[in-house]
Amino acid sequence: MLERVGFIGLGIMGRGMAGNLLTAGFPLSVWNRTAARMDELVSAGATAGKSPADVAAHSDVIVTCVSDTPDVEAVLLGPDGVINGARPGSLVIDMSTISPQATEAIAGQLAQKGIAMLDAPVSGGAEGAARGTLSIMIGGAAEDVARAMPLFEAMGKTITHVGGTGSGQTVKLVNQILVVGNTLAMSEALLFAQAGGVDLQKAFDAVSKGAGGSWMFTNRAPQIIARDWRPGFTVDLQQKDLRLVLAAADQLGAPLLGTGTVFNLYRTLQSRGLGAEGNHALIKALEHLAGFEVGAADEPEA
Ligand code: NAP
């Protein structure tokens, strides 16, 4: 018998993940702050809840996928929050990307009511959420991970229990440090290639499969060369994650010089109104400093 699942937060990620739980046969109730976003899943067989507390009252396992730390606190601990509807013995799985330290505090409050919690942030983007191929990084107790495994298997492909409460979020932030480091390296490399007067496509072909290659370079350098700024992941969300990285690094005493630089470069893009562009638009901050652009020379300045 599959457990009853409540899903809170049907954004770009949540709607695909909830859809995959429904397809896998879980009895599903949903709640989203903007109610109209529940319609599609309700038509597919889910039940619309009145509040996070209401969803929790009708569920054994409650999944959250909302934006940031205060939003998770609101849906879990607020007056209409999960904590005020869930029974002892329920399990909360937070799949948002939020602060590892706040995660520990939230788990502590839920535990006082007999509610267990896993942090299980993801990578793989909207596409991975829709296809059920996400990478899921999990922090929490082994018995809770085992209980949640049928849900994780419906939503993801690479499922890794990385340690205790909060460590899923820590590893997600490790991933984000790698992402922005690779994005900065790609941007500097393309700027240099442009300045050196070499054919960008030939430079790409020559180096993308070598030691300097990366997922970011393979997938986003062609977009930069074509000056296509459509997002896989937006500057605004990337910046939210870097804020979490730098706050955690400050608390932990880890110097992250490169990540701090990228955070400040993204801030210049946000102040130019480019927060909704893809994270590879980082190169625009360097172009601004350099006084020249990469790729098509005739594209108007954004
Ligand atoms: P999104 O499309 O902006 O959706 C955010 C969701 O959170 C919406 O359902 C929104 O409700 C809800 N929400 C935000 N604040 C809330 C609050 N205070 N109370 C109640 N609901 C609230 O974002 P997303 O891309 O799905 O991202 C969700 C999480 O996954 C984030 O933590 C993000 O960093 C992480 N993530 C995203 C990606 C990606 O590629 N997009 C990849 C990996 C991880 P409304 O509909 O009412 O606005």
Side-chain angles (χ1 to χ4, degrees), residues 9-14 31-34 37 65-68 71 74-75 95-97 122-123 125-126 172 232-233 237 240-241:
L10 305 174
I12 292 172
M13 299 297 286
W31 181 82
N32 194 67
R33 182 179 58 183
T34 306
R37 293 208 173 125
C65 189
V66 295
S67 305
D68 204 348
D71 309 312
V75 298
M95 303 190 78
S96 328
T97 303
V122 301
S123 75
K172 169 70 186 179
F233 193 61
L237 272 181
K240 185 261 302 183
D241 289 355

Side-chain angles (χ1 to χ4, degrees), residues 17-291:
M17 293 154 74
N20 284 324
L21 290 170
L22 200 57
T23 306
F26 288 95
L28 186 74
S29 52
V30 294
W31 181 82
N32 194 67
R33 182 179 58 183
T34 306
R37 293 208 173 125
M38 295 190 274
D39 293 350
E40 201 183 313
L41 280 156
V42 169
S43 312
T47 308
K50 292 184 189 69
S51 65
D54 180 44
V55 161
H58 296 94
S59 306
D60 307 304
V61 181
I62 303 105
V63 182
T64 51
C65 189
V66 295
S67 305
D68 204 348
T69 308
D71 309 312
V72 173
E73 288 168 344
V75 298
L76 290 181
L77 307 177
D80 279 333
V82 166
I83 198 166
N84 293 310
R87 286 166 294 104
S90 308
L91 172 65
V92 166
I93 308 173
D94 178 35
M95 303 190 78
S96 328
T97 303
I98 67 162
S99 154
Q101 288 78 13
T103 294
E104 288 185 53
I106 295 167
Q109 289 203 50
L110 292 173
Q112 285 177 13
K113 296 257 176 138
I115 304 163
M117 179 175 172
L118 296 172
D119 48 301
V122 301
S123 75
E127 215 174 50
R131 290 190 183 154
T133 57
L134 292 169
S135 294
I136 308 177
M137 298 143 251
I138 311 160
E143 72 257 29
D144 296 325
V145 177
R147 177 178 174 185
M149 199 48 83
L151 282 82
F152 290 139
E153 284 170 348
M155 294 184 279
K157 232 181 181 162
T158 307
I159 300 159
T160 315
H161 181 202
V162 294
T165 302
S167 58
Q169 296 293 355
T170 299
V171 172
K172 169 70 186 179
L173 298 184
V174 167
N175 183 69
Q176 298 309 72
I177 294 168
L178 288 165
V179 164
V180 299
N182 282 317
T183 311
L184 182 62
M186 165 179 68
S187 302
E188 290 194 351
L190 288 175
L191 199 77
F192 180 81
Q194 177 79 26
V198 295
D199 182 282
L200 293 177
Q201 187 58 48
K202 286 191 176 138
F204 174 83
D205 294 342
V207 305
S208 61
K209 295 206 168 58
S214 62
W215 182 96
M216 186 58 68
F217 192 73
T218 299
N219 290 281
R220 298 290 177 244
Q223 261 193 275
I224 291 175
I225 293 168
R227 302 202 70 78
D228 170 2
W229 310 112
R230 283 175 297 176
F233 193 61
T234 64
V235 168
D236 282 340
L237 272 181
Q238 185 72 81
Q239 190 69 333
K240 185 261 302 183
D241 289 355
L242 292 187
R243 187 172 39 71
L244 294 172
V245 168
L246 294 174
D250 185 31
Q251 287 185 27
L252 298 170
L256 301 184
L257 306 173
T259 306
T261 299
V262 177
F263 176 81
N264 284 304
L265 290 171
Y266 274 131
R267 176 154 281 170
T268 69
L269 294 185
Q270 288 179 310
S271 59
R272 288 164 61 200
L274 304 180
E277 294 197 349
N279 55 356
H280 55 295
L282 180 66
I283 197 164
K284 290 189 178 181
L286 300 185
E287 289 172 341
H288 203 65
L289 293 171

